Amino acid sequence: MAPQPKPGMGSSGFEGRQGKEELGAAGGRGEAARDCSPAKAGDGANNNKTARNGDEEQHQNPAKKARVSVRARCDTPTMNDGCQWRKYGQKIAKGNPCPRAYYRCTVGPSCPVRKQVQRCADDMSILITTYEGNHNHPLPMSATTMASTTSAAASMLLSGSSSSSSTAAVPGNLHGLNMYVSDNNNNMNSISSTSPSYPTITLDLTSTNNNNILNTSSSPPHSSSSQFAPASSLNFGAASEPATWGLHNGAGILNYGIGNVGRSGNAAHYRMSGPAAGPSSSSSHHNQSMLADSTMVAAATKAITADPSFQSALAAALTSIIGKNNNSSGKVVTSSSRGGGDQPSYLMNVKASGDANTAPSSTTSLSRTGSLSHHGQSAAGSGLVFQAPSSSSSSSSPHSYSMPAFTAAARDASTSPSEDN
DNA sequence: CGGCTTTGACCGGCGC
DNA sequence: GCGCCGGTCAAAGCCG
C-alpha cells in the first residue's frame, strides 16, 4: 500500500529549510508550536501511526497552506546544540499530545548519535531533548563549545564554584548526573538574536558514571541499591519544599534552594553539605551559602527560577520519558507537586547503567520500559534537556542570562512574543 | 536539482 | 500469543 501523497509536507518550522539546527534555530520560520492541540492521531488506537500534526486540518487544507498551519500546530523545535541533525521520524508518544521528533546526527557519515525532541505534556513550553550515543567524529566547533560551556555551567552549579571557568573541558558531571542550566540567549553559530532567551536545564543521563538516579521526592535516595547503587541522585523538591532543588550524592548534598522565590527569580541560595552528610540527612547540611555572584550562577538561578512550575514540569518531563508510576525495584520514587490541586505521584525510575568503558555504540538501558536508551556518552550535550520558558512575563526581553550555553531553537508561542514570518 | 521534511508502514520489544 | 507502543524506514513532496 503505497502511502498516498499528503499535503502538508515540507520544511519543519524550526528546523528551517536547511534542517540544520544551527540555522533552524536562528532563522527558522518561527513557526514553533503554537499549540499542541492533540494532533492526536490517536493516543491509543492509532498511536502506532506516525504523528500527524493537525490531521484534521490537513485534509482540509491544500498543500502549501496546510503546511504552514500544520507546522504551527505542534511541532517540535529543537535547540541549537551545535550539531547538525536530520529528522528521520516523528511520532506521538503515549501520554503526550505533542509529537516526538527523531533526529540523527548528520555531521559524520555514520554517526550513531540520535536525539529525540518532545514538548513536555505538562508544560508545552518546555522542550525535552534526549540525546543518545557517541559521536564518532570530531564535533563541530560550535558543538564543542557548547558542550564545554554547558559543562562548565553544570560544574559550577554542582560544585558551587563561582568561577567562570567556561572553558572547563570536563563535563558537568554531577557525580554522575549532569545538570546543565543554561540560557539560550547567547550562542554560537547564528543563534538568532531574535529568539528570546530560553533558560535551559540539561540533565545528562548519559554520564560516565554508571548509576544515576533522579529523585524528585522528599525521600532520600534509596539505596535499594544492590541493583542500582545510587551513585547520585537529583532531588528537586520534597512536598514540603516544593521549590528546592538539589543534588544528592554519596558524597554530599547540594541544594539549590529557590524557596519561595517568585517567578522573576530572586536570588537563590545554595547550600552544600559536606561529604560526611548522608544523602538525606538534611540536618547535617552545612548550609554553606554561596552567593550567586557569577553570571553563570546567576543565569542558572534564573533559569531555575524563571518558571515557578518548573519543578513539576521537569518531573512531568522526566516522567513522560521514563514512565509514570513505574514502581519497579530499586528505583527512585519521585513525587511532583503540580500547581494544581492534586499531586500526582511520579515514579521516575532512571537507571543509567551505562559504562563509560563500553564501546560507543553499546546500548545502555536507561529505563524500565526500554523506551529510552542511550549508548554511552555523547560528547556534546548528552542528556535530557529541559527547556523552561523564559519568565513568561518577560519573554519579550531577551535579557538577563548571560551564561553561554545552549541556544534554544524552540520557542513557545504561548510564552513568546509574537513573531511573524 | 539536491537535500530535507513529512508521514504511513513496518519492525521489534515489552507487558498482559 | 496478542496487542500496544516506541523507534525506524523509505517514498513522496517541497524549498532554496
Side-chain angles (χ1 to χ4, degrees):
Chain A
M1 11 216 112
Q4 34 190 52
K6 286 169 204 69
M9 295 195 170
S11 63
S12 80
F14 253 83
E15 297 311 315
R17 232 1 260 160
Q18 271 87 0
K20 318 256 160 92
E21 292 188 2
E22 287 145 348
L23 296 178
R29 296 279 181 78
E31 280 293 342
R34 296 260 173 292
D35 174 27
C36 257
S37 55
K40 238 182 197 183
D43 188 340
N46 240 349
N47 197 26
N48 209 10
K49 302 293 185 184
T50 306
R52 303 178 57 189
N53 298 336
D55 197 12
E56 309 111 55
E57 240 175 83
Q58 275 193 52
H59 38 71
Q60 278 183 328
N61 298 337
K64 233 167 232 182
K65 198 151 185 197
R67 142 196 306 278
V68 173
S69 61
V70 162
R71 269 195 291 125
R73 289 297 282 247
C74 182
D75 80 17
T76 49
T78 62
M79 298 176 41
N80 175 6
D81 51 17
C83 284
Q84 292 179 2
W85 303 93
R86 189 186 60 181
K87 190 175 188 177
Y88 66 88
Q90 177 170 305
K91 184 165 227 181
I92 290 184
K94 193 180 181 186
N96 191 336
C98 288
R100 175 181 301 168
Y102 300 89
Y103 297 86
R104 191 169 281 155
C105 177
T106 59
V107 174
S110 57
C111 181
V113 174
R114 289 169 191 177
K115 82 171 179 181
Q116 301 175 8
V117 180
Q118 184 173 36
R119 287 183 177 279
C120 174
D122 219 39
D123 185 340
M124 302 296 188
S125 62
I126 294 179
L127 200 61
I128 305 168
T129 302
T130 305
Y131 294 85
E132 303 179 14
N134 290 340
H135 292 281
N136 62 3
H137 54 80
L139 289 169
M141 177 102 74
S142 54
T144 304
T145 305
M146 175 87 66
S148 71
T149 54
T150 53
S151 294
S155 295
M156 267 198 345
L157 276 174
L158 298 170
S159 66
S161 161
S162 59
S163 69
S164 55
S165 58
S166 57
T167 55
V170 84
N173 193 325
L174 321 177
H175 301 282
L177 178 64
N178 297 338
M179 178 175 179
Y180 307 146
V181 180
S182 63
D183 155 53
N184 313 297
N185 189 21
N186 138 16
N187 228 334
M188 48 239 12
N189 274 357
S190 66
I191 289 325
S192 156
S193 51
T194 64
S195 38
S197 82
Y198 292 91
T200 300
I201 291 182
T202 299
L203 287 175
D204 189 344
L205 297 182
T206 60
S207 72
T208 52
N209 269 7
N210 282 357
N211 304 304
N212 301 325
I213 291 185
L214 295 178
N215 185 2
T216 59
S217 75
S218 56
S219 17
H222 299 169
S223 28
S224 27
S225 47
S226 37
Q227 223 179 353
F228 314 86
S232 65
S233 67
L234 175 66
N235 183 347
F236 34 95
S240 55
E241 291 184 280
T244 297
W245 297 55
L247 172 77
H248 289 267
N249 62 65
I253 289 182
L254 172 61
N255 281 333
Y256 304 147
I258 54 178
N260 297 319
V261 243
R263 178 177 287 271
S264 42
N266 302 332
H269 62 275
Y270 299 79
R271 293 177 304 174
M272 188 156 71
S273 68
S280 63
S281 53
S282 55
S283 58
S284 49
H285 288 182
H286 289 180
N287 288 341
Q288 163 179 357
S289 253
M290 292 177 286
L291 258 179
D293 55 351
S294 81
T295 55
M296 281 182 145
V297 173
T301 298
K302 287 194 175 186
I304 293 174
T305 58
D307 185 344
S309 65
F310 194 78
Q311 175 191 349
S312 61
L314 179 54
L318 282 169
T319 303
S320 72
I321 297 175
I322 295 152
K324 187 171 178 177
N325 289 333
N326 176 27
N327 196 5
S328 303
S329 62
K331 301 183 180 177
V332 175
V333 176
T334 73
S335 66
S336 148
S337 58
R338 298 198 30 156
D342 58 338
Q343 299 191 352
S345 206
Y346 293 121
L347 309 185
M348 296 193 296
N349 303 318
V350 180
K351 181 188 71 153
S353 55
D355 183 345
N357 298 322
T358 56
S361 61
S362 65
T363 299
T364 295
S365 167
L366 184 63
S367 70
R368 84 344 161 194
T369 58
S371 59
L372 193 63
S373 63
H374 68 87
H375 314 273
Q377 176 158 18
S378 170
S382 267
L384 303 175
V385 177
F386 301 93
Q387 179 176 1
S390 49
S391 56
S392 56
S393 55
S394 62
S395 59
S396 56
S397 56
H399 63 352
S400 317
Y401 317 127
S402 56
M403 182 169 63
F406 284 150
T407 294
R411 25 178 339 196
D412 182 281
S414 62
T415 58
S416 57
S418 62
E419 174 176 306
D420 38 25
N421 297 343

